[in-house]
């Protein structure tokens, strides 16, 4: 077996549409990358890796499909000559919130799988609920309202679990299964998240849920990092025994089972580190640290924050941090991302990013006091839809010049991210002791290649912006975390483990006057948002 010094590390990601793997060597260089697309497993007839049911609210994925995809992925790696004997440790992630219901007696089968048959053939009868609810499900509004009512309101649920009750969160899915399929619930001996389910396959036993992915369930007390008794009580009887323990995300949960040793040539000493959710996994893959904010500019924009003093709110999610047991992370999702930017580009810049950038460069920071909120589709943060323009006197106006419009959409989007991040307890650039080189914005996704947009980002956040290519950040995070777990977890800072990873590229640095301008504009943005929200309730 490869020693700690020359071993390789595997990171898996059981994501919505694919099962992916990255292998890195001890210098953190990627030596293998492959994936299996779930829709290619035709017998399961999924679209985008899932089934949307007739009510358009219920969304599930066949649990056994994930097992079969892992069989194929590992077979392909073997055929390509991948040397499993060098793997010192593995870890990974799964789509958040999804749940797996193991039938009574399944542990017996899981811990005795034989190398002469594939895993999916041996585990096919192991699930009391054959179709796992996944994060795209929104059928549990009733269960959400019940939880908020029992616990004393949405803020109370957020104070305990890090988020108000959300339909896709696992506790609400479990409550629905208990209420609608009590016989299936009663036949369940263990409930896993997709992440802990994946780790269970590798260790041939039930892997515990890690506290970071566990924070996406509305059932974990994010402060004590243990199950919240009131939440368990409010869900279903006998739930505590079905959930098992919660562990820190860096914990070694076992060695690979003899099935993997015999079928693929893994070393029996290969350690399995707890799997986590894909978003926490990405935080690790992006090597986020205190003072950082990661902004992914995609179809929808996502923001990750490193937090030490979280303030759970009715918007956004606070999770236990996957690489530092004393810290937290926040997750914010904004629906109007690149489609909105492209729409303004098409209308004001003739469809050209170059012209769009020229418009941005020709307008001053702060846009002469003109501010815009652009929500083409119903936004999550804030819950509003429509286009709203305000002039320097705070009056609503019906149009801006092309120059003003372009700057207004970009500044508006970043101001909103800054305001929501601050609400969750994030101290940004100027009012934070981590100002300067310690505070960074990591930009990823399509629009992060646009220099003019990055400059606005640096100015609004008063922080240098670095560009991160994160196509497979969750997978990479799994491989880094595998190494972290093997090196000792909490006794070794994660930053030490990833210190030799390639440097990020500096994309933009803030202008010296940015700080004053945008601090004031944040206040203007909040006022504008209040007006927008009051108009939404009236209509
Ligand atoms: C986060 O709360 C989500 O629901 C998604 O980002 C899933 O984790 C995607 F897999």
């Amino acid at each position: 077996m490869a020693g700690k010094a020359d071993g390789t590390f595997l990171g898996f990601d059981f994501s919505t549409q694919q099962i992916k793997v990255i292998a890195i060597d001890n210098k953190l260089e990627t030596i293998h990358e492959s994936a299996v697309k779930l829709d290619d497993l035709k017998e399961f007839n999924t679209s985008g890796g899932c089934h949307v049911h007739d009510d358009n609210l219920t969304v599930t994925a066949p649990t056994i499909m994930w097992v079969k995809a892992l069989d194929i992925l590992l077979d392909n790696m073997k055929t390509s000559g991948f040397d499993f004997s060098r793997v010192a440790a593995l870890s990974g992630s799964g789509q958040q919130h999804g749940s797996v219901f193991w039938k009574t007696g399944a542990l017996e089968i899981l811990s005795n799988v034989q190398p002469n048959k594939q895993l999916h053939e041996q585990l096919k009868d192991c699930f009391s609920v054959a179709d796992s609810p996944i994060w795209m499900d929104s059928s549990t509004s009733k269960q959400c309202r019940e939880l908020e009512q029992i616990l004393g309101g949405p803020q109370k649920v957020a104070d305990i679990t890090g988020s108000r009750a959300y339909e896709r969160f696992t506790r609400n899915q479990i409550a629905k299964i208990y209420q609608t399929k009590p016989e299936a619930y009663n036949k369940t001996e263990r409930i896993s998240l997709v992440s802990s389910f994946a780790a269970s396959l590798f260790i041939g036993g039930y892997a515990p849920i890690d506290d970071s992915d566990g924070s996406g369930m509305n059932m974990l007390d994010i402060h004590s990092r243990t199950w919240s008794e009131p939440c368990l009580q409010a869900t279903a009887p006998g739930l505590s025994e079905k959930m098992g323990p919660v562990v820190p995300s860096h914990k070694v949960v076992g060695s690979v089972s003899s099935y993997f040793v015999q079928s693929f040539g893994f070393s029996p000493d290969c350690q399995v580190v707890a799997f986590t959710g894909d978003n926490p996994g990405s935080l690790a893959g992006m090597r986020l640290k205190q003072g950082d904010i990661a902004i992914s500019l995609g179809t929808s924009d996502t923001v990750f924050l490193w937090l030490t003093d979280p303030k759970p709110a009715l918007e956004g999610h606070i999770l236990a941090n996957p690489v530092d047991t004393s810290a937290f992370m926040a997750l914010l999702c904004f629906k109007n991302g690149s489609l909105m930017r492209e729409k303004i580009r098409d209308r004001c810049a003739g469809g050209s990013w170059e012209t769009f950038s020229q418009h941005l460069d020709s307008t001053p920071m702060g846009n002469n006091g003109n501010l815009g909120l652009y929500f083409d589709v119903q936004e999550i943060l804030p819950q509003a839809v429509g286009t709203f323009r305000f002039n320097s006197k705070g009056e609503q106006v019906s149009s801006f010049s092309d120059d003003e419009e372009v700057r207004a959409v970009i500044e508006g989007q970043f101001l909103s991210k800054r305001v929501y991040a601050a609400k969750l307890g994030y101290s940004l650039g100027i009012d934070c002791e981590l100002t300067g080189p310690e505070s960074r914005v990591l930009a990823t996704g399509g629009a992060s290649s646009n220099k003019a947009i990055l400059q606005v980002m640096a100015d609004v956040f008063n922080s240098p912006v670095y560009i991160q290519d994160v196509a497979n950040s969750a997978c990479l995070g799994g491989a880094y975390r595998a190494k972290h777990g093997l090196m000792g977890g909490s006794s070794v800072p994660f930053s030490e483990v990833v210190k030799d990873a390639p440097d990020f590229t500096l994309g933009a640095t803030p202008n010296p006057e940015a700080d004053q301008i945008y601090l004031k504009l944040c206040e203007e943005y909040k006022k504008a948002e209040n007006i927008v929200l009051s108009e939404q309730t009236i209509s």
Side-chain angles (χ1 to χ4, degrees):
M1 119 99 177
K4 285 187 189 181
D6 59 350
T8 58
F9 300 90
L10 289 182
F12 291 86
D13 183 25
F14 283 59
S15 73
T16 316
Q17 306 204 29
Q18 322 177 39
I19 310 266
K20 298 177 259 181
V21 64
I22 280 187
I24 58 170
D25 63 17
N26 208 35
K27 295 196 200 87
L28 309 181
E29 272 159 31
T30 301
I31 53 169
H32 177 95
E33 219 173 326
S34 54
V36 170
K37 284 204 178 73
L38 297 169
D39 289 352
D40 287 348
L41 279 61
K42 296 289 176 211
E43 67 274 37
F44 297 106
N45 200 22
T46 55
S47 169
C50 61
H51 296 137
V52 179
H53 294 226
D54 290 341
D55 62 1
N56 260 328
L57 297 171
T58 308
V59 185
T60 58
T63 313
I64 199 70
M65 171 178 73
W66 296 326
V67 184
K68 184 159 187 192
L70 178 64
D71 282 333
I72 298 172
L73 184 73
L74 292 172
D75 266 350
N76 292 348
M77 287 174 82
K78 189 175 172 181
T79 311
S80 75
F82 184 81
D83 185 358
F84 289 100
S85 72
R86 299 179 59 78
V87 180
L90 66 86
S91 186
S93 58
Q95 49 173 303
Q96 289 203 259
H97 321 296
S99 43
V100 169
F101 294 75
W102 297 91
K103 201 194 272 178
T104 305
L107 180 60
E108 184 66 21
I109 303 173
L110 179 63
S111 49
N112 284 299
V113 285
Q114 298 301 314
N116 52 350
K117 257 180 159 185
Q118 289 198 306
L119 275 185
H120 73 274
E121 296 172 87
Q122 302 185 64
L123 299 181
K124 65 181 185 332
D125 295 324
C126 280
F127 308 107
S128 49
V129 175
D131 293 299
S132 287
I134 67 159
W135 67 277
M136 292 160 81
D137 186 285
S138 50
S139 67
T140 64
S141 299
K142 171 178 173 281
Q143 288 75 16
C144 290
R145 299 298 79 79
E146 281 167 5
L147 180 68
E148 292 183 342
Q149 208 245 319
I150 296 169
L151 264 67
Q155 184 60 48
K156 203 81 195 143
V157 178
D159 288 341
I160 300 171
T161 74
S163 302
R164 67 174 296 172
Y166 282 92
E167 279 73 3
R168 66 191 192 287
F169 277 44
T170 326
R171 175 267 162 204
N172 310 313
Q173 297 293 336
I174 296 171
K176 181 185 160 194
I177 298 274
Y178 169 65
Q179 290 171 17
T180 59
K181 296 180 183 152
E183 61 307 331
Y185 177 80
N186 290 331
K187 269 194 272 163
T188 302
E189 68 181 19
R190 179 59 86 101
I191 302 172
S192 297
L193 289 176
V194 177
S195 54
S196 60
F197 156 76
S200 302
L201 298 178
F202 284 104
I203 64 171
Y206 291 145
I209 288 176
D210 77 296
D211 52 16
S212 193
D213 205 14
S215 318
M217 299 174 76
N218 279 147
M219 205 157 84
L220 188 91
D221 180 327
I222 56 159
H223 307 283
S224 66
R225 301 188 183 212
T226 53
W227 299 122
S228 149
E229 202 49 50
C231 293
L232 290 175
Q233 294 291 339
T235 306
L239 187 52
S240 159
E241 300 85 77
K242 296 188 202 297
M243 297 314 304
V246 181
V247 296
S249 312
H250 59 70
K251 173 124 174 93
V252 172
V253 294
S255 313
V256 288
S257 77
S258 61
Y259 172 87
F260 291 92
V261 176
Q262 292 173 45
S263 305
F264 301 102
F266 274 94
S267 155
D269 296 329
C270 172
Q271 303 292 288
V272 179
V273 172
F275 280 44
T276 189
D278 53 0
N279 291 302
S282 285
L283 174 138
M286 293 169 80
R287 295 177 271 139
L288 212 75
K289 53 186 176 57
Q290 189 172 357
D292 287 350
I293 177 164
I295 303 181
S296 162
L297 299 171
T299 311
S300 49
D301 292 346
T302 317
V303 173
F304 296 150
L305 308 169
W306 180 291
L307 292 178
T308 45
D309 183 18
K311 299 189 172 53
L314 295 183
E315 301 101 358
H317 311 300
I318 308 267
L319 314 179
N321 189 300
V323 297
D324 181 338
T325 47
S326 65
F328 297 85
M329 70 175 278
L331 181 66
L332 294 165
C333 196
F334 300 83
K335 256 201 209 157
N336 289 274
S338 56
L339 296 182
M340 194 65 244
R341 292 185 284 274
E342 283 161 21
K343 204 162 174 183
I344 304 277
R345 176 203 62 188
D346 293 346
R347 187 153 48 75
C348 301
S352 150
W353 280 123
E354 215 181 311
T355 315
F356 187 93
S357 300
Q358 283 162 9
H359 284 310
L360 266 182
D361 288 338
S362 63
T363 39
M365 280 189 291
N367 210 9
N368 296 319
N370 295 307
L371 188 66
L373 285 76
Y374 300 81
F375 309 127
D376 203 24
V377 293
Q378 173 75 36
E379 184 50 79
I380 306 171
L381 303 171
Q383 291 204 347
V385 65
T387 296
F388 308 88
R389 300 180 185 86
F390 297 84
N391 66 17
S392 57
K393 295 186 205 123
E395 297 158 348
Q396 281 206 55
V397 292
S398 57
S399 64
F400 283 155
S401 70
D402 285 350
D403 281 352
E404 288 164 347
E405 186 90 324
V406 164
R407 183 163 278 274
V409 70
I410 299 299
E411 285 189 345
Q413 289 189 336
F414 292 148
L415 282 167
S416 137
K417 290 175 178 60
R418 179 175 164 163
V419 165
Y420 278 98
K423 275 194 199 176
L424 289 175
Y426 190 72
S427 313
L428 295 153
I430 37 181
D431 39 31
C432 155
E433 67 276 17
L434 293 165
T435 314
E438 294 297 330
S439 140
R440 303 182 303 174
V441 178
L442 305 178
T444 74
S448 64
S449 55
N450 184 313
K451 280 267 174 198
I453 294 182
L454 292 186
Q455 186 58 53
V456 181
M457 199 188 257
D459 290 337
V460 172
F461 284 92
N462 192 33
S463 281
V465 171
Y466 293 84
I467 308 162
Q468 244 272 39
D469 174 18
V470 282
N472 279 324
S473 57
C475 251
L476 190 58
Y480 290 163
R481 292 194 317 100
K483 186 167 184 195
H484 184 216
L486 190 72
M487 283 173 66
S490 58
S491 59
V492 182
F494 183 72
S495 54
E496 184 60 28
V497 176
V498 292
K499 68 178 188 318
D500 295 331
D503 276 344
F504 303 129
T505 317
L506 181 64
T509 42
N511 284 299
E513 322 83 75
D515 143 352
Q516 276 190 346
I517 293 172
Y518 289 107
L519 191 57
K520 182 163 173 285
L521 266 183
C522 279
E523 294 311 311
E524 296 305 318
Y525 177 88
K526 286 186 213 165
K527 281 187 214 155
E529 200 186 88
N530 282 339
I531 296 173
V532 167
L533 285 172
S534 64
E535 285 180 10
Q536 304 275 309
T537 8
I538 292 162
S539 62

